[in-house]
Amino acid sequence: MVTRINTGVSGLDIDSLVKQLMTAERAPLDKLKQQKQQLDWQRTDYRDMNTLLSGLRDAASKMRLQSTYLSKKATSSDDTSVTATGSPNAADGTYKLKIKSLATGASLTSDDVTATSATNPTGKGDLSAKMGVSTTLTITGDKGNATIKIDKDDSLATVIANINAKTNATGVRLNYDVNVDRLMFVSTNTGKDAKIQITSTDSTFLTSKMKLNTAATASEKAQTIIGSQTFSITSKDKEGNDVTTITSDAFVNSKLEAEQKLTVKYGTDSYDFTVTNRTTLRQLMDQVNSSALGKLGVSFTMDDNGKINIFNPDQTKTVSFEDGTSDDVDIVSNLGLKSSSVTVKGDITYTKVAGQAGKDAEVTYNGIDTTFSNNTFSLDGITFRALKADPAKELSVTITQDVDTVFDAIKSFIDKYNEAIEKIDTKTTEKKYRDFLPLTEDQRKAMSDDDIKLWEEKAKSGMLRGDMVLTSALSNMRSDFYNTVSGLGSGQINQLTQIGIQTGDYTERGKLTIKDEDALRSAIASNPDQVMRLFTQDDTTAKMSSGDGIARRIYDRLDDVMKTITKKAGSAKDLADDSTLTKSMADLDSRIYDMTQLMTDKENAYYKKFSAMETALSKLNAQSSSLLQALTQNQSN
């Protein structure tokens, strides 16, 4: 390592001298860095152009779709009773219907649940009281069932939260309304299949704690089947000892080589469930509880001992199990449900309460009576939403071509195109300031932030000036819009000018404008299929041709241009970038690195030379001093 000195016996400012010498030496290095910066700016501009073109391509993609031009408008004779939307498949015309009754969900409402007290005189809103009873609730809805364990120290708020945590599995939600101080069970679906059924292993919990109507409850006999198999997972602790954890995430049978069926027979009916070597007990329980069998109230759960428990609410029906025949696929044994090994607890008294069942919507449509489980239903490509029932009132919904939506789609496409070509034209004609090169590090240090900003605005200008890829794309897109679409047949709309769309004068450089809005709206209303084909026609050939519709031409054109730009400049979102500009920048990085090393060596060499000079001067001074001292002594003698 070279020892650097600022000054010595020479009195020279060596750092300043070396810096001046290196300024000239570094000129080639600065030039390489400027070249790399220019490539980086150019790459950024190309990528910005690709982002711009991507937005136009997305707009063109939408305009290639027939559904864009087939939008229908639905008008109801009474929006307070029924609203409607028409799909592209809906035929124009007027449709008659009567809403005889609305679809409703299942519901169950409690009495007041909060007692009055000195601290709560209204007896409303206090859900903190402990249950005081340990029990198990089974909530059954149209989606299936779920079991909720309740501890005596749980509050009513906790019970509500635990029930709602299972809503996706049951289709039942529990709300508390502070205004009336009541619990309200509601089904998430409507229709005759919507239901709410709640059972409790405690005989009084539903009436005394949940305050559900006593008249709606009933004590019945049930049965629980307990399997002999314990479900657990064994793992190693930090000391390497085996630790066994009871969990429903254990596999039912990890030895299965293929998908198998577990059949549960309930009375005279059979229900099949899929089991693989990766199916856990939790997944199997979810399958059963959300199935048609679960909707009958049969639930599969795991108890605290890790064993499967099957709750059968109807002892008049026998529960049995079947699977494959070999030991390797013996799912029933793995569940511990062989008849010889299970424990059956019968005659269990539990309390059941059922809510008011849901109802289907009843509708008369064009003279035909029909029902729907939801108040939103579809007929003949029209989606109706029933809002109010009146059996005597005849309603009408009229379907017509949605001219406004199609007009707006075409206008939006043209606006997007005009915006894109304006920006491309600006970049390809932007002035190039050749005297404004990227600033070197020393130049930046000597300038203010505002001056740097002004300088770089000119230095960045013109990076895409005259670019052949973009100028060619502009020219081709203008032709794509202007040229006739061939193969549409005699007398068909085959050019934009026929629907009131024209190019502006030469100063607008190819922008499109809707010169005659009435002509465009008239064409959409009178000849929607012709307008659609003008944009969407596909001549089925691999290459773009005059037989393709305008939107299809533009989409294909942009796709090709974007691929070319990506090949040249890459994409910021791609992890691997082997584009031309990126490779050139990498080559410059390598040259910059090598030249930087060379500059370091040259700088060290200069310091080494100055150091040698200082050493020589120091020795010369020492010799001069010795000689002068000797001469002085001789003269004295």
mmCIF file of all heavy atoms in Angstrom, residues 250-291:
data_model
loop_
_atom_site.group_PDB
_atom_site.id
_atom_site.type_symbol
_atom_site.label_atom_id
_atom_site.label_comp_id
_atom_site.label_asym_id
_atom_site.label_seq_id
_atom_site.Cartn_x
_atom_site.Cartn_y
_atom_site.Cartn_z
ATOM 1 N N ALA A 250 -53.644 -35.212 12.643
ATOM 2 C CA ALA A 250 -53.021 -36.509 12.325
ATOM 3 C C ALA A 250 -53.732 -37.125 11.125
ATOM 4 O O ALA A 250 -54.939 -36.938 10.916
ATOM 5 C CB ALA A 250 -53.111 -37.437 13.530
ATOM 6 N N PHE A 251 -52.974 -37.883 10.303
ATOM 7 C CA PHE A 251 -53.549 -38.504 9.118
ATOM 8 C C PHE A 251 -54.478 -39.648 9.494
ATOM 9 O O PHE A 251 -54.237 -40.385 10.455
ATOM 10 C CB PHE A 251 -52.450 -39.035 8.197
ATOM 11 C CG PHE A 251 -51.581 -37.961 7.605
ATOM 12 C CD1 PHE A 251 -50.203 -38.030 7.720
ATOM 13 C CD2 PHE A 251 -52.150 -36.884 6.954
ATOM 14 C CE1 PHE A 251 -49.401 -37.046 7.176
ATOM 15 C CE2 PHE A 251 -51.355 -35.889 6.409
ATOM 16 C CZ PHE A 251 -49.980 -35.959 6.525
ATOM 17 N N VAL A 252 -55.538 -39.838 8.692
ATOM 18 C CA VAL A 252 -56.457 -40.953 8.900
ATOM 19 C C VAL A 252 -55.754 -42.265 8.584
ATOM 20 O O VAL A 252 -55.813 -43.224 9.345
ATOM 21 C CB VAL A 252 -57.712 -40.789 8.016
ATOM 22 C CG1 VAL A 252 -58.596 -42.035 8.119
ATOM 23 C CG2 VAL A 252 -58.493 -39.553 8.446
ATOM 24 N N ASN A 253 -55.035 -42.334 7.452
ATOM 25 C CA ASN A 253 -54.276 -43.519 7.069
ATOM 26 C C ASN A 253 -53.201 -43.098 6.068
ATOM 27 O O ASN A 253 -53.479 -42.903 4.891
ATOM 28 C CB ASN A 253 -55.189 -44.580 6.448
ATOM 29 C CG ASN A 253 -54.464 -45.912 6.245
ATOM 30 O OD1 ASN A 253 -53.239 -45.962 6.170
ATOM 31 N ND2 ASN A 253 -55.226 -46.995 6.154
ATOM 32 N N SER A 254 -51.978 -42.968 6.532
ATOM 33 C CA SER A 254 -50.882 -42.504 5.682
ATOM 34 C C SER A 254 -50.365 -43.592 4.746
ATOM 35 O O SER A 254 -49.515 -43.331 3.902
ATOM 36 C CB SER A 254 -49.722 -41.990 6.546
ATOM 37 O OG SER A 254 -49.234 -43.027 7.384
ATOM 38 N N LYS A 255 -50.869 -44.834 4.877
ATOM 39 C CA LYS A 255 -50.391 -45.937 4.043
ATOM 40 C C LYS A 255 -51.184 -46.108 2.757
ATOM 41 O O LYS A 255 -50.839 -46.946 1.920
ATOM 42 C CB LYS A 255 -50.440 -47.250 4.831
ATOM 43 C CG LYS A 255 -49.504 -47.282 6.035
ATOM 44 C CD LYS A 255 -49.601 -48.617 6.751
ATOM 45 C CE LYS A 255 -48.655 -48.665 7.953
ATOM 46 N NZ LYS A 255 -48.756 -49.962 8.658
ATOM 47 N N LEU A 256 -52.237 -45.331 2.575
ATOM 48 C CA LEU A 256 -53.051 -45.490 1.373
ATOM 49 C C LEU A 256 -52.229 -45.192 0.123
ATOM 50 O O LEU A 256 -51.511 -44.194 0.064
ATOM 51 C CB LEU A 256 -54.255 -44.546 1.415
ATOM 52 C CG LEU A 256 -55.283 -44.800 2.525
ATOM 53 C CD1 LEU A 256 -56.399 -43.765 2.453
ATOM 54 C CD2 LEU A 256 -55.860 -46.198 2.416
ATOM 55 N N GLU A 257 -52.358 -46.029 -0.861
ATOM 56 C CA GLU A 257 -51.628 -45.835 -2.115
ATOM 57 C C GLU A 257 -52.488 -45.150 -3.165
ATOM 58 O O GLU A 257 -51.975 -44.656 -4.167
ATOM 59 C CB GLU A 257 -51.137 -47.179 -2.643
ATOM 60 C CG GLU A 257 -50.096 -47.838 -1.730
ATOM 61 C CD GLU A 257 -49.593 -49.144 -2.301
ATOM 62 O OE1 GLU A 257 -50.110 -49.548 -3.369
ATOM 63 O OE2 GLU A 257 -48.689 -49.749 -1.690
ATOM 64 N N ALA A 258 -53.773 -45.104 -2.938
ATOM 65 C CA ALA A 258 -54.683 -44.465 -3.883
ATOM 66 C C ALA A 258 -55.871 -43.906 -3.114
ATOM 67 O O ALA A 258 -56.092 -44.239 -1.942
ATOM 68 C CB ALA A 258 -55.152 -45.460 -4.946
ATOM 69 N N GLU A 259 -56.609 -43.054 -3.764
ATOM 70 C CA GLU A 259 -57.792 -42.462 -3.150
ATOM 71 C C GLU A 259 -58.812 -43.551 -2.830
ATOM 72 O O GLU A 259 -59.073 -44.444 -3.631
ATOM 73 C CB GLU A 259 -58.384 -41.446 -4.132
ATOM 74 C CG GLU A 259 -59.615 -40.724 -3.619
ATOM 75 C CD GLU A 259 -60.144 -39.747 -4.649
ATOM 76 O OE1 GLU A 259 -59.496 -38.693 -4.853
ATOM 77 O OE2 GLU A 259 -61.193 -40.038 -5.258
ATOM 78 N N GLN A 260 -59.383 -43.494 -1.615
ATOM 79 C CA GLN A 260 -60.367 -44.493 -1.179
ATOM 80 C C GLN A 260 -61.634 -43.815 -0.689
ATOM 81 O O GLN A 260 -61.657 -42.608 -0.443
ATOM 82 C CB GLN A 260 -59.773 -45.365 -0.056
ATOM 83 C CG GLN A 260 -58.546 -46.157 -0.462
ATOM 84 C CD GLN A 260 -58.861 -47.244 -1.466
ATOM 85 O OE1 GLN A 260 -59.986 -47.738 -1.530
ATOM 86 N NE2 GLN A 260 -57.863 -47.630 -2.254
ATOM 87 N N LYS A 261 -62.672 -44.629 -0.571
ATOM 88 C CA LYS A 261 -63.958 -44.120 -0.103
ATOM 89 C C LYS A 261 -64.276 -44.660 1.280
ATOM 90 O O LYS A 261 -64.093 -45.848 1.562
ATOM 91 C CB LYS A 261 -65.090 -44.526 -1.059
ATOM 92 C CG LYS A 261 -64.984 -43.941 -2.450
ATOM 93 C CD LYS A 261 -65.233 -42.443 -2.447
ATOM 94 C CE LYS A 261 -65.247 -41.891 -3.868
ATOM 95 N NZ LYS A 261 -65.399 -40.437 -3.894
ATOM 96 N N LEU A 262 -64.722 -43.772 2.147
ATOM 97 C CA LEU A 262 -65.306 -44.181 3.417
ATOM 98 C C LEU A 262 -66.806 -44.000 3.279
ATOM 99 O O LEU A 262 -67.283 -42.900 2.987
ATOM 100 C CB LEU A 262 -64.781 -43.325 4.567
ATOM 101 C CG LEU A 262 -65.509 -43.502 5.904
ATOM 102 C CD1 LEU A 262 -65.281 -44.897 6.477
ATOM 103 C CD2 LEU A 262 -65.083 -42.448 6.916
ATOM 104 N N THR A 263 -67.553 -45.087 3.471
ATOM 105 C CA THR A 263 -69.011 -45.031 3.350
ATOM 106 C C THR A 263 -69.637 -45.059 4.739
ATOM 107 O O THR A 263 -69.349 -45.944 5.552
ATOM 108 C CB THR A 263 -69.549 -46.221 2.530
ATOM 109 O OG1 THR A 263 -68.990 -46.175 1.219
ATOM 110 C CG2 THR A 263 -71.063 -46.164 2.429
ATOM 111 N N VAL A 264 -70.465 -44.048 5.005
ATOM 112 C CA VAL A 264 -71.213 -43.995 6.267
ATOM 113 C C VAL A 264 -72.665 -44.306 5.946
ATOM 114 O O VAL A 264 -73.295 -43.608 5.150
ATOM 115 C CB VAL A 264 -71.098 -42.613 6.937
ATOM 116 C CG1 VAL A 264 -71.884 -42.602 8.254
ATOM 117 C CG2 VAL A 264 -69.640 -42.256 7.185
ATOM 118 N N LYS A 265 -73.177 -45.362 6.546
ATOM 119 C CA LYS A 265 -74.582 -45.715 6.347
ATOM 120 C C LYS A 265 -75.397 -45.183 7.515
ATOM 121 O O LYS A 265 -75.061 -45.408 8.682
ATOM 122 C CB LYS A 265 -74.741 -47.235 6.246
ATOM 123 C CG LYS A 265 -74.157 -47.814 4.965
ATOM 124 C CD LYS A 265 -74.526 -49.279 4.796
ATOM 125 C CE LYS A 265 -74.072 -49.802 3.441
ATOM 126 N NZ LYS A 265 -74.440 -51.225 3.239
ATOM 127 N N TYR A 266 -76.452 -44.469 7.157
ATOM 128 C CA TYR A 266 -77.329 -43.880 8.180
ATOM 129 C C TYR A 266 -78.743 -44.296 7.860
ATOM 130 O O TYR A 266 -79.357 -43.794 6.922
ATOM 131 C CB TYR A 266 -77.189 -42.364 8.173
ATOM 132 C CG TYR A 266 -77.872 -41.682 9.339
ATOM 133 C CD1 TYR A 266 -77.659 -42.090 10.643
ATOM 134 C CD2 TYR A 266 -78.723 -40.606 9.130
ATOM 135 C CE1 TYR A 266 -78.265 -41.460 11.718
ATOM 136 C CE2 TYR A 266 -79.337 -39.956 10.186
ATOM 137 C CZ TYR A 266 -79.111 -40.386 11.484
ATOM 138 O OH TYR A 266 -79.710 -39.759 12.546
ATOM 139 N N GLY A 267 -79.215 -45.282 8.619
ATOM 140 C CA GLY A 267 -80.506 -45.875 8.285
ATOM 141 C C GLY A 267 -80.377 -46.615 6.969
ATOM 142 O O GLY A 267 -79.500 -47.451 6.784
ATOM 143 N N THR A 268 -81.230 -46.261 6.016
ATOM 144 C CA THR A 268 -81.193 -46.921 4.712
ATOM 145 C C THR A 268 -80.368 -46.133 3.686
ATOM 146 O O THR A 268 -80.223 -46.571 2.540
ATOM 147 C CB THR A 268 -82.627 -47.091 4.171
ATOM 148 O OG1 THR A 268 -83.255 -45.793 4.079
ATOM 149 C CG2 THR A 268 -83.451 -47.994 5.074
ATOM 150 N N ASP A 269 -79.827 -44.979 4.085
ATOM 151 C CA ASP A 269 -79.081 -44.136 3.152
ATOM 152 C C ASP A 269 -77.574 -44.299 3.351
ATOM 153 O O ASP A 269 -77.100 -44.580 4.452
ATOM 154 C CB ASP A 269 -79.463 -42.664 3.332
ATOM 155 C CG ASP A 269 -80.924 -42.410 3.019
ATOM 156 O OD1 ASP A 269 -81.430 -43.004 2.050
ATOM 157 O OD2 ASP A 269 -81.570 -41.624 3.757
ATOM 158 N N SER A 270 -76.821 -44.083 2.266
ATOM 159 C CA SER A 270 -75.364 -44.184 2.318
ATOM 160 C C SER A 270 -74.744 -42.865 1.864
ATOM 161 O O SER A 270 -75.244 -42.203 0.948
ATOM 162 C CB SER A 270 -74.857 -45.314 1.415
ATOM 163 O OG SER A 270 -75.330 -46.567 1.874
ATOM 164 N N TYR A 271 -73.625 -42.511 2.503
ATOM 165 C CA TYR A 271 -72.924 -41.262 2.190
ATOM 166 C C TYR A 271 -71.438 -41.588 2.034
ATOM 167 O O TYR A 271 -70.826 -42.194 2.923
ATOM 168 C CB TYR A 271 -73.133 -40.236 3.306
ATOM 169 C CG TYR A 271 -74.593 -39.945 3.580
ATOM 170 C CD1 TYR A 271 -75.328 -40.746 4.472
ATOM 171 C CD2 TYR A 271 -75.239 -38.899 2.937
ATOM 172 C CE1 TYR A 271 -76.673 -40.492 4.712
ATOM 173 C CE2 TYR A 271 -76.588 -38.632 3.179
ATOM 174 C CZ TYR A 271 -77.298 -39.431 4.067
ATOM 175 O OH TYR A 271 -78.621 -39.170 4.299
ATOM 176 N N ASP A 272 -70.853 -41.200 0.902
ATOM 177 C CA ASP A 272 -69.457 -41.514 0.600
ATOM 178 C C ASP A 272 -68.563 -40.296 0.814
ATOM 179 O O ASP A 272 -68.923 -39.168 0.439
ATOM 180 C CB ASP A 272 -69.310 -41.987 -0.855
ATOM 181 C CG ASP A 272 -69.952 -43.343 -1.086
ATOM 182 O OD1 ASP A 272 -70.057 -44.110 -0.103
ATOM 183 O OD2 ASP A 272 -70.351 -43.626 -2.227
ATOM 184 N N PHE A 273 -67.382 -40.564 1.387
ATOM 185 C CA PHE A 273 -66.409 -39.499 1.638
ATOM 186 C C PHE A 273 -65.033 -39.955 1.151
ATOM 187 O O PHE A 273 -64.665 -41.122 1.275
ATOM 188 C CB PHE A 273 -66.377 -39.150 3.128
ATOM 189 C CG PHE A 273 -67.724 -38.756 3.653
ATOM 190 C CD1 PHE A 273 -68.533 -39.681 4.318
ATOM 191 C CD2 PHE A 273 -68.217 -37.483 3.449
ATOM 192 C CE1 PHE A 273 -69.789 -39.338 4.778
ATOM 193 C CE2 PHE A 273 -69.478 -37.124 3.908
ATOM 194 C CZ PHE A 273 -70.268 -38.046 4.577
ATOM 195 N N THR A 274 -64.276 -39.017 0.607
ATOM 196 C CA THR A 274 -62.979 -39.320 0.005
ATOM 197 C C THR A 274 -61.869 -39.253 1.045
ATOM 198 O O THR A 274 -61.794 -38.308 1.835
ATOM 199 C CB THR A 274 -62.678 -38.326 -1.125
ATOM 200 O OG1 THR A 274 -63.720 -38.406 -2.100
ATOM 201 C CG2 THR A 274 -61.338 -38.626 -1.782
ATOM 202 N N VAL A 275 -60.977 -40.233 1.020
ATOM 203 C CA VAL A 275 -59.831 -40.273 1.928
ATOM 204 C C VAL A 275 -58.591 -40.626 1.123
ATOM 205 O O VAL A 275 -58.600 -41.584 0.339
ATOM 206 C CB VAL A 275 -60.029 -41.298 3.064
ATOM 207 C CG1 VAL A 275 -58.810 -41.324 3.989
ATOM 208 C CG2 VAL A 275 -61.287 -40.985 3.864
ATOM 209 N N THR A 276 -57.519 -39.871 1.294
ATOM 210 C CA THR A 276 -56.227 -40.189 0.686
ATOM 211 C C THR A 276 -55.209 -40.359 1.815
ATOM 212 O O THR A 276 -55.538 -40.191 2.999
ATOM 213 C CB THR A 276 -55.748 -39.069 -0.257
ATOM 214 O OG1 THR A 276 -55.384 -37.912 0.522
ATOM 215 C CG2 THR A 276 -56.836 -38.690 -1.250
ATOM 216 N N ASN A 277 -53.963 -40.631 1.453
ATOM 217 C CA ASN A 277 -52.933 -40.801 2.491
ATOM 218 C C ASN A 277 -52.513 -39.471 3.118
ATOM 219 O O ASN A 277 -51.725 -39.456 4.050
ATOM 220 C CB ASN A 277 -51.713 -41.529 1.935
ATOM 221 C CG ASN A 277 -51.079 -40.792 0.766
ATOM 222 O OD1 ASN A 277 -51.472 -39.686 0.416
ATOM 223 N ND2 ASN A 277 -50.105 -41.441 0.136
ATOM 224 N N ARG A 278 -53.071 -38.351 2.602
ATOM 225 C CA ARG A 278 -52.776 -37.048 3.196
ATOM 226 C C ARG A 278 -53.996 -36.428 3.851
ATOM 227 O O ARG A 278 -53.968 -35.277 4.291
ATOM 228 C CB ARG A 278 -52.249 -36.066 2.132
ATOM 229 C CG ARG A 278 -51.112 -36.590 1.268
ATOM 230 C CD ARG A 278 -49.994 -37.209 2.069
ATOM 231 N NE ARG A 278 -49.258 -36.243 2.863
ATOM 232 C CZ ARG A 278 -48.324 -36.558 3.751
ATOM 233 N NH1 ARG A 278 -48.023 -37.848 3.968
ATOM 234 N NH2 ARG A 278 -47.696 -35.622 4.424
ATOM 235 N N THR A 279 -55.085 -37.171 3.948
ATOM 236 C CA THR A 279 -56.301 -36.666 4.588
ATOM 237 C C THR A 279 -56.164 -36.745 6.102
ATOM 238 O O THR A 279 -55.897 -37.811 6.660
ATOM 239 C CB THR A 279 -57.539 -37.466 4.146
ATOM 240 O OG1 THR A 279 -57.682 -37.362 2.729
ATOM 241 C CG2 THR A 279 -58.796 -36.928 4.817
ATOM 242 N N THR A 280 -56.346 -35.624 6.766
ATOM 243 C CA THR A 280 -56.293 -35.597 8.230
ATOM 244 C C THR A 280 -57.679 -35.850 8.798
ATOM 245 O O THR A 280 -58.690 -35.751 8.093
ATOM 246 C CB THR A 280 -55.777 -34.243 8.733
ATOM 247 O OG1 THR A 280 -56.734 -33.219 8.374
ATOM 248 C CG2 THR A 280 -54.420 -33.905 8.129
ATOM 249 N N LEU A 281 -57.694 -36.145 10.097
ATOM 250 C CA LEU A 281 -58.982 -36.336 10.761
ATOM 251 C C LEU A 281 -59.811 -35.060 10.674
ATOM 252 O O LEU A 281 -61.026 -35.101 10.448
ATOM 253 C CB LEU A 281 -58.764 -36.739 12.221
ATOM 254 C CG LEU A 281 -60.051 -36.903 13.051
ATOM 255 C CD1 LEU A 281 -60.949 -37.995 12.467
ATOM 256 C CD2 LEU A 281 -59.718 -37.208 14.509
ATOM 257 N N ARG A 282 -59.153 -33.897 10.832
ATOM 258 C CA ARG A 282 -59.869 -32.622 10.757
ATOM 259 C C ARG A 282 -60.561 -32.473 9.397
ATOM 260 O O ARG A 282 -61.723 -32.065 9.316
ATOM 261 C CB ARG A 282 -58.897 -31.465 10.973
ATOM 262 C CG ARG A 282 -59.560 -30.085 10.995
ATOM 263 C CD ARG A 282 -58.526 -28.977 10.923
ATOM 264 N NE ARG A 282 -57.547 -29.080 11.981
ATOM 265 C CZ ARG A 282 -57.707 -28.620 13.213
ATOM 266 N NH1 ARG A 282 -58.846 -28.007 13.525
ATOM 267 N NH2 ARG A 282 -56.770 -28.753 14.129
ATOM 268 N N GLN A 283 -59.848 -32.811 8.325
ATOM 269 C CA GLN A 283 -60.417 -32.683 6.989
ATOM 270 C C GLN A 283 -61.580 -33.642 6.770
ATOM 271 O O GLN A 283 -62.584 -33.288 6.142
ATOM 272 C CB GLN A 283 -59.330 -32.911 5.943
ATOM 273 C CG GLN A 283 -58.272 -31.815 5.911
ATOM 274 C CD GLN A 283 -57.051 -32.181 5.076
ATOM 275 O OE1 GLN A 283 -56.743 -33.370 4.904
ATOM 276 N NE2 GLN A 283 -56.361 -31.181 4.560
ATOM 277 N N LEU A 284 -61.448 -34.845 7.301
ATOM 278 C CA LEU A 284 -62.541 -35.805 7.167
ATOM 279 C C LEU A 284 -63.763 -35.337 7.938
ATOM 280 O O LEU A 284 -64.901 -35.408 7.445
ATOM 281 C CB LEU A 284 -62.096 -37.184 7.661
ATOM 282 C CG LEU A 284 -63.180 -38.275 7.643
ATOM 283 C CD1 LEU A 284 -63.698 -38.498 6.231
ATOM 284 C CD2 LEU A 284 -62.650 -39.569 8.241
ATOM 285 N N MET A 285 -63.570 -34.824 9.141
ATOM 286 C CA MET A 285 -64.694 -34.321 9.934
ATOM 287 C C MET A 285 -65.385 -33.169 9.218
ATOM 288 O O MET A 285 -66.619 -33.072 9.203
ATOM 289 C CB MET A 285 -64.214 -33.897 11.326
ATOM 290 C CG MET A 285 -63.747 -35.051 12.196
ATOM 291 S SD MET A 285 -63.437 -34.612 13.930
ATOM 292 C CE MET A 285 -62.154 -33.369 13.750
ATOM 293 N N ASP A 286 -64.589 -32.281 8.615
ATOM 294 C CA ASP A 286 -65.179 -31.154 7.880
ATOM 295 C C ASP A 286 -65.995 -31.651 6.693
ATOM 296 O O ASP A 286 -67.062 -31.091 6.387
ATOM 297 C CB ASP A 286 -64.082 -30.205 7.388
ATOM 298 C CG ASP A 286 -63.452 -29.405 8.522
ATOM 299 O OD1 ASP A 286 -64.061 -29.355 9.611
ATOM 300 O OD2 ASP A 286 -62.359 -28.833 8.319
ATOM 301 N N GLN A 287 -65.490 -32.707 6.006
ATOM 302 C CA GLN A 287 -66.244 -33.286 4.888
ATOM 303 C C GLN A 287 -67.613 -33.767 5.343
ATOM 304 O O GLN A 287 -68.642 -33.466 4.734
ATOM 305 C CB GLN A 287 -65.477 -34.486 4.308
ATOM 306 C CG GLN A 287 -64.450 -34.187 3.249
ATOM 307 C CD GLN A 287 -64.036 -35.473 2.545
ATOM 308 O OE1 GLN A 287 -64.821 -36.053 1.781
ATOM 309 N NE2 GLN A 287 -62.821 -35.921 2.810
ATOM 310 N N VAL A 288 -67.610 -34.511 6.427
ATOM 311 C CA VAL A 288 -68.858 -35.107 6.908
ATOM 312 C C VAL A 288 -69.818 -34.033 7.399
ATOM 313 O O VAL A 288 -71.010 -34.007 7.042
ATOM 314 C CB VAL A 288 -68.576 -36.119 8.031
ATOM 315 C CG1 VAL A 288 -69.889 -36.642 8.621
ATOM 316 C CG2 VAL A 288 -67.732 -37.279 7.507
ATOM 317 N N ASN A 289 -69.301 -33.126 8.209
ATOM 318 C CA ASN A 289 -70.168 -32.142 8.851
ATOM 319 C C ASN A 289 -70.774 -31.147 7.867
ATOM 320 O O ASN A 289 -71.801 -30.529 8.156
ATOM 321 C CB ASN A 289 -69.406 -31.400 9.942
ATOM 322 C CG ASN A 289 -69.009 -32.310 11.085
ATOM 323 O OD1 ASN A 289 -69.607 -33.375 11.272
ATOM 324 N ND2 ASN A 289 -68.007 -31.928 11.847
ATOM 325 N N SER A 290 -70.136 -30.973 6.704
ATOM 326 C CA SER A 290 -70.675 -30.062 5.697
ATOM 327 C C SER A 290 -71.468 -30.790 4.618
ATOM 328 O O SER A 290 -71.928 -30.174 3.662
ATOM 329 C CB SER A 290 -69.541 -29.270 5.040
ATOM 330 O OG SER A 290 -68.641 -30.141 4.371
ATOM 331 N N SER A 291 -71.649 -32.094 4.781
ATOM 332 C CA SER A 291 -72.345 -32.899 3.774
ATOM 333 C C SER A 291 -73.847 -32.978 4.074
ATOM 334 O O SER A 291 -74.343 -32.417 5.061
ATOM 335 C CB SER A 291 -71.763 -34.317 3.761
ATOM 336 O OG SER A 291 -72.105 -34.994 4.965
#
